[in-house]
Amino acid sequence: MPDRGSGPSGPRMRVGRPSRRSRTLLMTLGVLAVLGMAFVMFAGFWTDWLWFRSVKYSTVFTTTLWTRVGLFAVFGLLMAGAVGLNIWLAYRLRPPLSAMSLEQQSLDRYRMSIAPYKKWLLPAISALVGMIAGASAAGQWKTWLMYVNGVPFGRKDPQFKLDVSFYTFDLPWYRFLLGFGFAAVILSVIAAVVVHYLYGGLRVTSPGARATAAATGHLSVLLGLFVTLKAVAYWLDRYGLAVKSSDFKAADNWTGLRYVDANAYLPAKTILVAIAAICAVLFFATLWRRTWQLPVIGFGLMVLSAILIGGLYPAIVQKFQVQPNEQAKEAPYVEKNIKATRDAYGIDQSDVKDYPGVPQTDDKAKLRQAAGTTASIRILDPNIVSPAFQQLQQVKGYYAFPSTLAVDRYSGQDTVIGLRELNIGGIPKNNWINDHFKYTHGYGVVAAKGTTVDDQGAPDFTQSDLPSKGMFGTDFEQRIYYGERTTQYSIVGGPQKELDYSDDKGEKETSYQGDSGVNLGNPVNRAAYALAFSEPQILYSGAIGEGSRILYNRTPKERVEAVAPWLTIDGAPYPAVIDGRIKWIVDAYTTTNGYPYASRTTLGQSTADSLTNSQRAVVAQENQVNYIRNSVKATVDAYDGTVSLYQWDAEDPVLKTWMKAFPGTVKAKSEISKPLMDHLRYPQDLFKVQRELLTRYHVTDPQTFLSGSEAWAVPDDPTTKAGTAVPPYYLSMKMPGQTEKDQVFSLTTTFTPNERDNLSAFMAVNADPGTPDYGKIRILKLPTSKPVDGPKQVQSKFQSEPKIAESIRLLRGGDSEVEYGNLLAVPLEGGMLYVEPVYVRSAGLKYPLLRKVLVTYGGQTAFEDTLDKALNVVFGAEAPTTPVNPPPGEGTVTPPKQPQDPTVKAALADAQKAIEEADKAMKAGDWAAYGKAQSDLQAALKRAIDAEAKQPAPKPAG
């Protein structure tokens, strides 16, 4: 006999079963792979749970988790059950014998190939579609929580007279259910058709009937369900018209019904509901009639009706009824849109007044006095002076300030403030220990007066040095473990000491004492974080031990967004020193996209300006919204990362809904302390959204709105060439007609007409919560007959004035750079006062100094060394002398001059000498000499103050 192991091609290899050892190895590897994947999934879940527990918001994690799990399970099972049931039914309804045809003979091969796996195929397919559907449903957890916890708005839409909550909370859930139903029916139809065809219930080329009676009945029921769902969809589409956006020349992102919607689409949808219902009945009737003729005719009628009634008829109405008399037809609907939009964005109480735009008095002394009392004009631009903070107060390379500093108020003074945060890029030597164990935090607060600078044009610091000292004192927690620049994780509190700062005496070390972060004391946590951060050293490093804690999610916006994922976060958190702690204050918004008739806006676009970058961008849950409220004020402790959420808008139904869904996460407004309240302010991003809407919706007359003749625009920032919107500016000021006696911390902006550069309006909002009019929007509307210069025109005139242009050219001499600060506009006695600080960055100097101030008013322009000098030149009058508490009935009393103490005189002479030495050193670029001169100056001033304090008090005048 021939050898069975050989052949023409030579010997063949025998393929036998693997050895027991190989099988054991393969099984072990498989188990390890499964365990590895399971641990990866567990690590993500476990680290999330640990983090939420560490910030004491574990209920947010559990509520979100169980909601997702519940939706996944319910809708996954429903989808699996629907598809599985129809596969099973199609198989049970198969004909007992398949027709003898080429088509069925070719299908026999497929039937035979799947026969051994029929027991597993049904549950496998059902499980697959169920998991996909469940995962999709789990993503709707916000929709579900809003639906079950929805709170009425107490306002009804003008068309259907339903509460707004139906559109914001109910309708999105109904649409999800409808979409899920369509998906289940379509997948069931596909599965049933495949099985019926495979087992002979449906035939394409075989002789005889194309479908068995059982297959016909089965599929007709499924198609009947599909058409029934379509009838429901037509019914919901009627309500959807109230929140539908459309192209309309009167406004972008127009939302709500127009004439054609109310008079054509709405009746068409109602008729289509009836046609779809009849068509569904015809499909169900096929169970008895066993013919497709009537259902097919009905379905064709429905499609034709959708084209004619739902498409052609509205187009005819629009063409022949609306267009010939558009303003009259659309006016009632425009009025509804205006009212809803103004209400949804909180601009319905805006106070619009006419303003002349030109001075209403020639009294120069009165104008000069008004310039000093109407506003505290901030000449320290927080967007320019960050390099000065960096150079003068950074102290070490591993510290840094944000590129844009914050504006706050302390003791009635507008103050520019910044934190000395950790700068990983400035660490002398980057390695894992240095980056994550030694350099873990920033240190100290630096603040400067907003309305003055020192003699050199540098910031006039009120809090400075390291450790920080000044108006806040030194008795507060200065370490900054949580900040805008702190994006990497740190491991603190263990055997490895951390660097606070270093001085002439060496490094000052510390060990974190807060309870923030997650404990790495047990190996499970360490393994989970080693996997989560892809850093195996976390698992075995000796630098981690008893008490070690890992800090992450460290920016204020990240922390607030994580504990309240239903909030939209303002792009500009700001720090404040409150009750001995540095706290980040974060404004947060509740939004919705379903407010009927309110036009939509895109948050990313409406909040962008010349200062917007990735760090300052709004964190939006929904980028397109048509309702927004600053409903929550949040704080993040810079040392221990504690997040506190406070209810700010007690009337907001969206916030009430989320507070029902996540009870206990938001504190009552009454729990806001007085020191914290003093530092709250009107948020920038909300203001920017409102000003964008007010470019059109300051108009309340429908005819004027439709004509577009009163439309405004937010001007581009004239101090840059980027062509981006001018940012709003915080400023303490009094608006004309404002009831408060004193200046009020405000947020301001300007408007120009569309396609033109002259000024059309000035807008300010009261940004101080300590005043009765907080949040009051005031708009001064300028006349169109007498154009008033807008920001771009003012900037152009500044630069084209011959004397000013020559002065700027000289300032640029020697490779120096000129930087224009914020162009501030202030309404003053009927006219507009513009003020712009001008900074110079000399060659070799790494930061800008304030050198000049530009001022214009009533056609007069000045370019002087100080604001007071510039105002004096513009108004042709000196600033009035500050009165010294005159007795009742008497005039101003000037205190008699006291003879100067010799010690004071000598100290002031030394101070003047130190200033001169500092100036020389700065021009020469000798920074060591400059630092010594600054130290001598501070010492001399201290001697003068001490000597002055020892003098006897002056005798009362008179």
Side-chain angles (χ1 to χ4, degrees), residues 453-492:
V453 293
D454 68 12
D455 294 338
Q456 303 301 317
D460 185 3
F461 293 111
T462 55
Q463 183 81 20
S464 58
D465 299 334
L466 185 66
S468 177
K469 55 182 179 290
M471 65 176 176
F472 304 137
T474 57
D475 189 21
F476 67 97
E477 180 54 69
Q478 299 195 28
R479 297 175 183 87
I480 302 156
Y481 283 88
Y482 295 89
E484 287 187 289
R485 298 177 60 96
T486 315
T487 56
Q488 76 289 344
Y489 72 88
S490 290
I491 298 175
V492 299

Side-chain angles (χ1 to χ4, degrees), residues 785-807:
S785 57
K786 296 180 180 179
V788 178
D789 287 343
K792 187 175 181 180
Q793 292 172 322
V794 169
Q795 185 71 31
S796 178
K797 287 184 178 180
F798 277 157
Q799 296 173 341
S800 60
E801 184 80 19
K803 291 183 179 179
I804 296 176
E806 177 62 20
S807 298

Side-chain angles (χ1 to χ4, degrees), residues 51 60 197 254 329 357 408 527 628 639 704 846 852 902 941 946:
W51 187 86
V60 174
Y197 177 70
W254 171 276
K329 295 291 187 183
D408 203 347
I628 185 169
Y639 181 73
T704 307
K846 296 181 178 179
K852 294 286 184 178
L941 291 176
D946 292 343

Side-chain angles (χ1 to χ4, degrees), residues 532-606:
F533 289 108
S534 302
E535 182 49 72
Q537 292 187 77
I538 294 177
L539 187 59
Y540 56 78
S541 174
I544 301 175
E546 186 66 29
S548 290
R549 310 179 73 85
I550 185 167
L551 312 181
Y552 61 104
N553 287 350
R554 298 171 70 181
T555 68
K557 288 195 290 187
E558 278 182 323
R559 295 181 78 76
V560 175
E561 184 191 20
V563 302
W566 33 272
L567 289 175
T568 293
I569 312 301
D570 189 272
Y574 59 99
V577 179
I578 301 169
D579 294 329
R581 309 283 286 198
I582 301 171
K583 292 191 177 183
W584 291 97
I585 299 175
V586 184
D587 284 289
Y589 311 108
T590 46
T591 61
T592 182
N593 197 23
Y595 196 101
Y597 272 98
S599 289
R600 291 180 170 86
T601 187
T602 303
L603 287 180
Q605 294 177 3
S606 59

Side-chain angles (χ1 to χ4, degrees), residues 629-938:
R629 289 290 186 273
N630 177 212
S631 52
V632 171
K633 300 285 188 180
T635 62
V636 177
D637 192 291
Y639 181 73
D640 63 19
T642 300
V643 181
S644 297
L645 306 176
Y646 298 96
Q647 183 181 18
W648 186 246
D649 188 341
E651 303 302 319
D652 177 30
V654 181
L655 177 60
K656 290 179 180 179
T657 296
W658 287 117
M659 289 176 69
K660 280 181 65 179
F662 297 96
T665 56
V666 181
K667 300 177 182 178
K669 186 176 182 178
S670 58
E671 295 189 43
I672 299 177
S673 67
K674 177 63 169 60
L676 173 57
M677 184 70 76
D678 290 341
H679 293 283
L680 299 181
R681 67 188 192 187
Y682 201 83
Q684 292 185 48
D685 283 336
L686 174 61
F687 184 78
K688 287 188 278 189
V689 169
Q690 290 174 325
R691 75 172 178 177
E692 181 66 30
L693 269 295
L694 280 167
T695 58
R696 292 161 289 146
Y697 287 93
H698 67 279
V699 174
T700 55
D701 175 61
Q703 301 292 342
T704 307
F705 187 91
L706 281 166
S707 71
S709 60
E710 293 291 326
W712 297 339
V714 177
D716 291 339
D717 190 343
T719 64
T720 69
K721 297 180 181 179
T724 48
V726 63
Y729 296 122
Y730 286 106
L731 192 67
S732 290
M733 61 173 293
K734 283 198 303 184
M735 286 282 281
Q738 197 161 333
T739 56
E740 288 84 354
K741 294 181 180 179
D742 300 322
Q743 299 168 8
V744 175
F745 194 62
S746 305
L747 193 53
T748 65
T749 193
T750 52
F751 294 106
T752 58
N754 263 339
E755 308 298 331
R756 286 185 290 165
D757 294 327
N758 54 288
L759 191 68
S760 58
F762 177 86
M763 171 181 167
V765 64
N766 185 333
D768 186 354
T771 56
D773 273 354
Y774 169 78
K776 178 72 173 179
I777 296 175
R778 293 179 172 87
I779 299 174
L780 302 179
K781 183 182 176 184
L782 280 80
T784 56
S785 57
K786 296 180 180 179
V788 178
D789 287 343
K792 187 175 181 180
Q793 292 172 322
V794 169
Q795 185 71 31
S796 178
K797 287 184 178 180
F798 277 157
Q799 296 173 341
S800 60
E801 184 80 19
K803 291 183 179 179
I804 296 176
E806 177 62 20
S807 298
I808 291 175
R809 188 186 67 80
L810 293 173
L811 289 174
R812 287 197 173 105
D815 294 329
S816 296
E817 295 180 17
V818 172
E819 298 182 35
Y820 294 98
N822 38 218
L823 179 58
L824 302 176
V826 178
L828 180 69
E829 296 295 326
M832 292 301 298
L833 174 68
Y834 286 98
V835 178
E836 183 177 61
V838 178
Y839 295 83
V840 176
R841 192 190 300 254
S842 302
L845 194 63
K846 296 181 178 179
Y847 60 93
L849 297 173
L850 181 68
R851 289 306 189 199
K852 294 286 184 178
V853 179
L854 283 162
V855 174
T856 184
Y857 181 82
Q860 299 296 317
T861 301
F863 186 57
E864 300 295 332
D865 293 342
T866 66
L867 176 61
D868 282 339
K869 289 181 181 178
L871 291 173
N872 291 343
V873 170
V874 163
F875 295 112
E878 297 287 328
T881 306
T882 305
V884 184
N885 300 327
E890 297 186 18
T892 300
V893 179
T894 303
K897 292 184 178 179
Q898 295 295 313
Q900 195 173 60
D901 183 87
T903 306
V904 176
K905 189 174 181 179
L908 292 177
D910 290 343
Q912 181 61 37
K913 183 180 178 181
I915 291 172
E916 294 171 357
E917 292 295 330
D919 191 38
K920 292 178 183 177
M922 185 178 63
K923 291 178 180 178
D926 187 350
W927 302 116
Y930 179 79
K932 182 179 183 302
Q934 289 291 327
S935 299
D936 293 343
L937 174 62
Q938 292 180 7

